[in-house]
DNA sequence: TAGTTTGCTTGACACTGTGTAAATTGACAT
DNA sequence: ATGTCAATTTACACAGTGTCAAGCAAACTA
């Protein structure tokens, strides 16, 4: 019951997130957002100079709401490299669904809007830091196969963990979140740590089909 | 030196492909395409009722030009399941660069255009057939781990081979085509056939950086 | 040779969506 | 009451898609 009145920019961001996170979300127009906020379309431009700026601001706002760092704490506290990789994959994999609505919108305009592409890349670069740290931890353990290029290993983990792959498996193929996490984790462990044991029970999920 | 004059629809398709395959390709407008073809914008509409239809037709035209099936022949002729998987991954992985320009355009409009999304999905479904066949071959060999859900295994291979993953690794991360194919093949073999040997030399590519 | 069809052009227009500019309101301080 | 300033609204400019109508020229057809 916060009695302090919410300022207009925040109201706009909240409305935007609500629209983006709707289950059947189409890409909202500025008019949609204005209507949802309860103000005129042009008033939106008073606070956000362009649609892209608004979408980018929405992602930042959402990150603040979700406090991504708390989920990553177990990853940073992990003892072994394998443990760290495992924790990171799980944390990120479970974070994706929270940002998917907004991510989808940003990715959609990425093809036509360089500024949006830059914003999204920055965001993914942050995630890449986590990949890099996990790879480094594996290397320090000696778990990483000799001769492995750490840059390439990071690239691969980063690609495996892409939102697109999550989208493909859970949204298009209908996998459960647990099944997704288990499989990606298994693949990462098998490929990066040469640990076939991590693949036990992978690809044998028995989720009730949605 | 084909002396027979090319009909206008074909000329339009050729111009469209040329625009889409340009290295710095933006998404072309109908005006762009008309100008590149050397006809009026409205004339384009005489042959293709909408932009989406044109893009879809362009993909089909391109498939005809590239004759995708010839590349897949070794896959169908493979003896063992592993051999088949290997051949399929290689064939598809090397086909992607040929279609990437058009694929990018279609994927870009997919978020806003349901018809384009449907067309793209159909195309990817065709590719999925190949994945399914490879998985089946593995299963018949007994190479697939017991208890593996073949549907899920197909989903995974299909996701691994997505254009988005190719894009990420080769375009964003700058991997060479060979490096990409080797790595994806290794991951597929390791995950689906529990064959760690396939990962030898993977993640240790020494391409000269472009 | 005249008539018809076919393919293209030109030009206008409706519609959607983004973004800009000018006019208006309303609260608040003086 | 009046000036000021921010928030807001009305109106407009622009790009792009798609539609429609009229005209034109070359190629068939009678």
């Amino acid at each position: 019951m916060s009695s302090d009145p919410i300022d207009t920019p925040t109201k706009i961001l909240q409305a935007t997130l609500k629209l983006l996170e709707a289950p059947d979300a189409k890409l909202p127009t500025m008019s949609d957002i204005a209507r949802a906020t309860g103000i005129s379309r042009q008033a939106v431009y008073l606070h956000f100079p362009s649609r892209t700026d608004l979408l980018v601001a929405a992602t930042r706002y959402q990150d603040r709401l979700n406090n991504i760092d708390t989920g990553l704490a177990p990853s940073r506290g992990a003892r072994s490299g394998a443990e760290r990789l495992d924790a990171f994959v799980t944390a990120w994999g479970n974070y994706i669904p929270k940002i998917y609505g907004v991510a989808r919108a940003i990715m959609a305009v990425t093809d036509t809007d360089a500024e949006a592409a830059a914003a999204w890349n920055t965001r993914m670069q942050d995630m890449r830091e986590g990949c890099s740290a996990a790879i480094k931890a594996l290397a320090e353990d000696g778990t990483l196969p000799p001769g492995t290029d750490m840059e390439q290993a990071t690239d691969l983990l980063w690609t495996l963990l892409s939102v697109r792959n999550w989208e493909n498996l859970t949204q298009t193929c209908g996998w459960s979140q647990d099944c997704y996490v288990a499989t990606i984790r298994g693949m990462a462990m098998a490929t990066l740590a040469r640990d076939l044991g991590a693949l036990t029970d992978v690809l044998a999920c028995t989720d009730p089909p949605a």
Side-chain angles (χ1 to χ4, degrees), chain A:
Chain A
M1 303 291 172
S2 71
S3 60
D4 56 304
I6 307 161
D7 63 349
T8 308
T10 305
K11 271 196 278 188
I12 295 171
L13 291 173
Q14 288 174 345
T16 304
L17 287 190
K18 194 167 175 187
L19 287 176
L20 288 172
E21 285 163 358
D24 57 343
K26 299 274 156 274
L27 296 183
T29 66
M30 293 298 257
S31 301
D32 294 333
I33 291 166
R35 202 176 317 120
T37 311
I39 62 177
S40 73
R41 185 176 71 89
Q42 280 62 18
V44 178
Y45 282 99
L46 258 312
H47 305 284
F48 302 97
S50 77
R51 192 185 136 82
T52 300
D53 285 87
L54 174 51
L55 286 179
V56 170
T59 69
R60 299 207 194 296
Y61 179 65
Q62 192 188 42
D63 277 340
R64 235 176 308 137
L65 288 183
N66 281 327
N67 223 329
I68 181 175
D69 285 343
T70 61
L72 293 176
S75 167
R76 273 192 287 276
R79 263 179 300 275
S80 75
E83 207 176 303
R84 175 160 199 156
L85 175 62
D86 196 278
F88 180 70
V89 172
T90 304
W92 172 254
N94 285 320
Y95 188 61
I96 295 178
K98 294 186 189 162
I99 62 168
Y100 177 59
V102 182
R104 214 165 59 91
I106 291 265
M107 291 189 298
V109 298
T110 267
D111 306 274
T112 53
D113 186 329
E115 194 192 334
W120 179 246
N121 286 341
T122 300
R123 198 129 178 279
M124 287 305 100
Q125 220 53 36
D126 290 349
M127 188 271 269
R128 198 190 151 95
E129 297 289 308
C131 294
S132 179
I135 296 295
K136 201 173 296 176
L138 282 178
E140 281 164 7
D141 276 13
T143 317
L144 217 54
T148 302
D149 182 306
M150 283 177 57
E151 199 67 24
Q152 284 173 38
T154 303
D155 291 340
L156 186 65
L157 179 56
W158 185 60
T159 301
L160 264 183
L161 289 175
S162 70
V163 174
R164 293 295 187 185
N165 279 340
W166 179 88
E167 181 181 47
N168 224 36
L169 290 173
T170 69
Q171 305 305 110
T172 308
C173 298
W175 288 24
S176 72
Q177 180 64 20
D178 287 349
C179 195
Y180 160 80
V181 170
T183 301
I184 296 293
R185 191 175 30 176
M187 288 189 72
M189 293 294 291
T191 309
L192 298 169
R194 303 291 197 270
D195 171 17
L196 277 186
L199 287 170
T200 311
D201 292 335
V202 161
L203 296 182
C205 290
T206 53
D207 309 311

